């Protein structure tokens, strides 16, 4: 009778690394790290987009509502209603700015802030606010116009093209950041 053969080892010796882990375990750790990096990138974009929308709302309210006096957030009522609507917009933008700032600070504190993604998110948020204001508020809901008693087309085109340019720039920064991080870490990623 022959002696039973030793069972085959579950992990071939070539698959073990210096720490004793398997290729599969290393791949799983890398996969978890990739998912965490994607989550950090997404959170950086979203937190900064909130700040970008709030900043664009502040620019709109300060420049066009207060300094130039071209419109209020809601112009379909009395001047007092317009002033109250501007105050509500201002309160909302401050809440969004502070909330987004806290989210970004928390990401930075945890070492999870992806700077390039945050810059892209800032531009995306600003562009999104500009387009929502220009298309939804100005044209669909007719809450207000950019300006009154003038030919609106040039103002509308400039307003919405500016929003599209901000969105495009933000998307470009976010996508280029993804490509750079896929190639390896670099400065500002």
């Amino acid at each position: 009778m022959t002696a039973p053969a030793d069972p085959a080892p579950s992990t071939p010796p070539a698959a073990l690394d210096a720490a004793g882990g398997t290729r599969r375990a290393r791949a799983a750790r890398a996969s978890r790290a990739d998912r965490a990096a994607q989550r950090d990138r997404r959170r950086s974009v979203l937190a900064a987009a909130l700040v970008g929308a709030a900043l664009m709302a502040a620019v709109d309210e300060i420049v066009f509502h207060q300094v130039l006096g071209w419109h209020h957030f809601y112009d379909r009522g009395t001047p007092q209603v317009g002033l109250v609507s501007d105050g509500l917009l201002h309160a909302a933008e401050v809440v969004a700015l502070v909330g987004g700032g806290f989210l970004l600070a928390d990401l930075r504190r945890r070492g999870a802030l992806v700077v390039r993604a945050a810059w892209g998110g800032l531009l995306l948020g600003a562009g999104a606010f500009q387009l929502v204001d220009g298309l939804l508020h100005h044209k669909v809901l007719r809450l207000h116009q950019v300006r009154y008693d003038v030919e609106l087309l040039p103002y509308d085109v400039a307003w919405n093209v500016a929003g599209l340019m901000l969105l495009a720039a933000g998307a470009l920064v976010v996508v280029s950041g993804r490509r750079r991080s896929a190639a390896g870490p670099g400065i500002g990623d």
Side-chain angles (χ1 to χ4, degrees):
M1 229 180 187
T2 61
D6 288 335
S10 61
T11 304
L16 295 177
D17 64 11
T22 64
R23 288 182 191 153
R24 188 175 300 159
R26 284 193 316 258
R29 283 191 300 272
S31 178
R32 280 193 300 274
D34 288 345
R35 283 193 305 273
Q38 289 172 355
R39 209 171 28 253
D40 292 343
R41 191 174 300 110
R42 185 174 50 250
R43 288 177 180 163
S44 296
V45 168
L46 292 174
L50 185 60
V51 171
L55 287 174
M56 188 52 73
V59 167
D60 178 29
E61 192 226 335
I62 292 166
V63 174
F64 296 101
H65 298 205
Q66 295 175 12
V67 174
L68 297 174
W70 283 2
H71 62 264
H72 295 289
F73 183 72
Y74 182 75
D75 275 339
R76 297 179 74 179
T78 66
Q80 291 80 12
V81 170
L83 190 59
V84 168
S85 71
D86 286 348
L88 293 173
L89 173 64
H90 184 67
E93 76 199 26
V94 168
V95 167
L97 187 60
V98 170
F102 273 112
L103 291 171
L104 287 171
D106 182 57
L107 285 167
R108 182 176 173 150
R109 179 189 58 80
R110 291 185 292 115
L113 180 64
V114 181
V115 176
R116 183 177 297 272
W119 279 111
L122 185 89
L123 293 168
L124 286 170
F129 176 86
Q130 188 81 0
L131 277 180
V132 166
D133 190 41
L135 297 175
L136 182 66
H137 298 157
H138 296 180
K139 298 302 162 200
V140 174
L141 299 176
R142 297 194 171 276
L143 298 177
H144 63 265
Q145 296 299 324
V146 176
R147 193 168 179 190
Y148 294 95
D149 300 323
V150 295
E151 173 59 39
L152 280 178
L153 184 62
Y155 289 92
D156 287 336
V157 168
W159 197 270
N160 293 316
V161 166
L164 283 172
M165 289 172 57
L166 286 166
L167 272 176
L172 185 66
V173 170
V174 169
V175 169
S176 72
R178 280 188 194 145
R179 288 186 184 140
R180 285 179 61 143
S181 66
I187 297 173
D189 287 334

